[in-house]
Amino acid sequence: MANTIHPTAVIGADVQLGDDNTIGPYSVIVGPTRIGNGNWIGPHVVIGTPAEYRGGPHPAAWDPDGGRAGGGVVIGDNNVLREFVTVNQGIQETTRIGADCYLLTSSHIGHDCVLNDGVTITDAVLLGGHTHVWSWANIGLGTVVHQRGQVGPGAMVGMGSAVRRAVEPFTITVGNPARATGVNRVGLSRRGCTEDVVDAFEQYLKGRADLPAGLPDDVAAELSAWAKAMASEKE
């Protein structure tokens, strides 16, 4: 299916679009940016502008000969980016948004960030550069995540939080500084975990047991990837 692009939108020369994307009025997308299929990009969204980095280049990438802004942006399929969302180019790595993510009004995705699949970023959330938000995480209204932050799979971060250290998988975390207050039992059950598995997972988070058997394959794979990434950071 063809893309639907409002005539006031600005699409740079180094932008690749898949099919069936909707791009709203006054949005600006500059490259190098690659966008998949079936995305809804609302009014006044800005994707691919230079990193908010004092020492970095700031070309007029929206002009045909304006030059590249940085390391690029890649956005997958079936995402929703609401009004005034901003997604900056990467500096060292490509800024990446997976599939089936929902980014609410005025949220900001800093340079070199990675969002895995199924992430929800609510209104006015600010992600510092190099932040990694893992699959199915939900970050509440007005939360700020420090650069190079890690938000684990299935984590629920309460509104107005200040995230200064890694948020563990499937926890409920809130406050300034943000601290875990419980287990996201609803999130686990929605991913197909039985009550017994949820109970066992709670013991795992408390350090009293190993990762439980019986986790759905996608959850187990994401948790294994998280554990490996955290171990690598400690080396």
Side-chain angles (χ1 to χ4, degrees):
M1 297 177 65
N3 295 305
T4 301
I5 303 174
H6 194 273
T8 62
V10 176
I11 310 296
D14 203 5
V15 175
Q16 301 176 39
L17 293 173
D19 298 322
D20 196 28
N21 295 293
T22 297
I23 301 174
Y26 303 103
S27 285
V28 177
I29 306 175
V30 297
T33 292
R34 187 170 75 248
I35 297 175
N37 304 317
N39 297 284
W40 191 95
I41 298 170
H44 297 279
V45 172
V46 180
I47 299 171
T49 45
E52 293 179 335
Y53 179 66
R54 183 181 286 273
H58 282 72
W62 44 86
D63 292 335
D65 299 319
R68 289 187 169 210
V73 175
V74 172
I75 297 176
D77 301 331
N78 302 316
N79 298 287
V80 174
L81 281 68
R82 295 299 304 260
E83 298 81 354
F84 299 100
V85 166
T86 54
V87 182
N88 286 171
Q89 293 268 350
I91 298 174
Q92 298 173 347
E93 304 290 343
T94 302
T95 302
R96 296 181 180 274
I97 297 174
D100 299 307
C101 296
Y102 201 114
L103 280 58
L104 276 67
T105 300
S106 299
S107 54
H108 172 70
I109 311 302
H111 62 85
D112 299 84
C113 285
V114 175
L115 275 60
N116 290 10
D117 297 342
V119 167
T120 301
I121 305 292
T122 62
D123 301 77
V125 168
L126 307 177
L127 301 183
H130 303 274
T131 293
H132 189 172
V133 183
W134 293 66
S135 295
W136 322 303
N138 187 317
I139 302 181
L141 301 165
T143 290
V144 178
V145 182
H146 196 277
Q147 62 261 35
R148 301 187 185 276
Q150 296 271 356
V151 179
M156 174 73 72
V157 181
M159 62 182 182
S161 297
V163 177
R164 304 181 189 178
R165 60 184 183 183
V167 176
E168 292 295 322
F170 289 100
T171 54
I172 297 173
T173 298
V174 66
N176 183 2
R179 300 182 184 279
T181 61
V183 176
N184 186 6
R185 302 181 70 89
V186 172
L188 284 163
S189 65
R190 287 177 176 172
R191 298 308 311 171
C193 296
T194 65
E195 194 70 21
D196 288 344
V197 170
V198 173
D199 290 340
F201 186 81
E202 185 169 9
Q203 295 304 308
Y204 162 75
L205 283 179
K206 293 177 178 179
R208 299 173 182 171
D210 295 330
L211 191 67
L215 290 166
D217 290 344
D218 58 346
V219 174
E222 192 77 349
L223 290 171
S224 295
W226 164 268
K228 185 179 296 184
M230 294 302 99
S232 178
E233 283 197 354
K234 294 176 181 179
E235 292 179 353

